[in-house]
Amino acid sequence: MALLELNNVHAYYGKIHALKGISITVNSGEIVTLIGSNGAGKTTTLRTVAGLMQPRQGSVMFAGENVYLSKPHEIISKGISMVPEGRGIFAKMTVVENLQMGAFYRNDREAIQKDIEYAYELFPRLGERRKQLAGTMSGGEQQMLSTARALMAKPKLILMDEPSMGLAPVLVDLIFETIQRINQEGVTVLLVEQNALMSLGIAHRGYVLQTGEIVLSDDAKSLKNNPSVQKAYLGIE
């Protein structure tokens, strides 16, 4: 059974038909990537899974339960967390306060503290700046914090929306290495990323979206070698 399964999902922004009957599966332990141009529906798909949008048709199954009518806080408690596009950190809170917010529904204090220490191990920069206001940190540091905060919810599935956006190449490498590490440690990942070459390099499988529809799906290696994908998304003629 798939950990996450979207079946014939239709979603709208007002009268704009953003998702036109998409169906995807994400199996436990996988990294699955969604690639496509701006406006293809990638972020809308993540927002629908996270409960930030409710589809007008279809189902969103997570661990065998239809969660499409669940509220975002209920989605988090079921085991899904999100690293949003633009990071979405709490700028006027410290690093450690942001991490504590990621665990807002948990009451296992000792385990929460251990997970904060794990976040500092994962991103030593955060440990160095634990008392610093998050809004005063660099873009790369904020991305680290956003990722670590999502992990504080102890998710089974983490949704990542454009984690490399605006980052220097060395930090892009760090973020992708971290995605692989958390996946190897048992967290399933659904990844949206404009850097299709990098995302296909770490993913197990992928889906290509165009104007709200899935036009292609395959294992990541096959997508990476597909001439149409190379031309449209990888800059390879």
Side-chain angles (χ1 to χ4, degrees):
M1 182 178 67
L3 180 63
L4 175 71
E5 188 171 3
L6 277 64
N7 293 302
N8 192 34
V9 170
H10 293 257
Y12 292 76
Y13 291 101
K15 295 183 178 180
I16 299 173
H17 198 173
L19 297 180
K20 303 172 183 176
I22 71 165
S23 297
I24 69 171
T25 60
V26 181
N27 297 314
S28 183
E30 285 189 311
I31 300 175
V32 174
T33 187
L34 307 179
I35 61 176
S37 58
N38 288 335
K42 306 184 302 298
T43 292
T44 303
T45 300
L46 296 191
R47 288 175 57 83
T48 300
V49 174
L52 298 169
M53 289 186 67
Q54 292 188 350
R56 295 189 190 177
Q57 183 179 333
S59 63
V60 180
M61 305 295 295
F62 180 69
E65 179 184 358
N66 195 350
V67 299
Y68 84 104
L69 290 178
S70 299
K71 304 296 184 184
H73 69 277
E74 295 171 334
I75 295 286
I76 293 172
S77 68
K78 293 176 189 297
I80 301 175
S81 62
M82 185 171 181
V83 181
E85 181 180 357
R87 294 140 199 164
I89 49 94
F90 299 107
K92 295 184 179 181
M93 291 184 177
T94 65
V95 167
V96 68
E97 287 169 341
N98 269 267
L99 294 176
Q100 290 167 342
M101 285 297 293
F104 76 95
Y105 82 94
R106 296 171 56 187
N107 55 20
D108 49 343
R109 291 187 179 182
E110 289 186 12
I112 288 172
Q113 187 56 44
K114 287 181 179 178
D115 289 334
I116 290 174
E117 294 303 321
Y118 170 74
Y120 296 154
E121 177 197 340
L122 200 60
F123 299 112
R125 198 86 57 89
L126 297 182
E128 296 167 4
R129 290 160 171 72
R130 64 187 70 192
K131 295 183 179 180
Q132 185 172 333
L133 292 179
T136 65
M137 299 197 303
S138 70
E141 291 164 348
Q142 290 182 13
Q143 186 62 56
M144 296 175 198
L145 179 58
S146 183
T147 302
R149 183 185 61 189
L151 290 172
M152 288 298 299
K154 301 293 285 185
K156 299 174 185 174
L157 171 67
I158 189 167
L159 313 173
M160 305 195 76
D161 195 359
E162 303 289 2
S164 77
M165 181 179 288
L167 300 186
V170 64
L171 291 176
V172 171
D173 290 341
L174 173 61
I175 291 297
F176 275 88
E177 288 168 6
T178 302
I179 294 171
Q180 288 182 290
R181 176 176 172 178
I182 62 178
N183 176 248
Q184 290 164 359
E185 294 178 358
V187 180
T188 304
V189 181
L190 181 56
L191 171 65
V192 164
E193 176 57 57
Q194 282 289 345
N195 190 333
L197 189 62
M198 290 284 286
S199 62
L200 288 173
I202 66 168
H204 299 95
R205 294 187 299 111
Y207 293 87
V208 179
L209 276 74
Q210 288 182 6
T211 58
E213 297 179 278
I214 292 178
V215 296
L216 189 61
S217 65
D218 211 332
D219 66 84
K221 184 177 180 180
S222 296
L223 286 176
K224 196 173 179 180
N225 293 326
N226 184 300
S228 63
V229 173
Q230 290 180 339
K231 183 175 181 180
Y233 305 110
L234 305 184
I236 300 172
E237 295 294 337

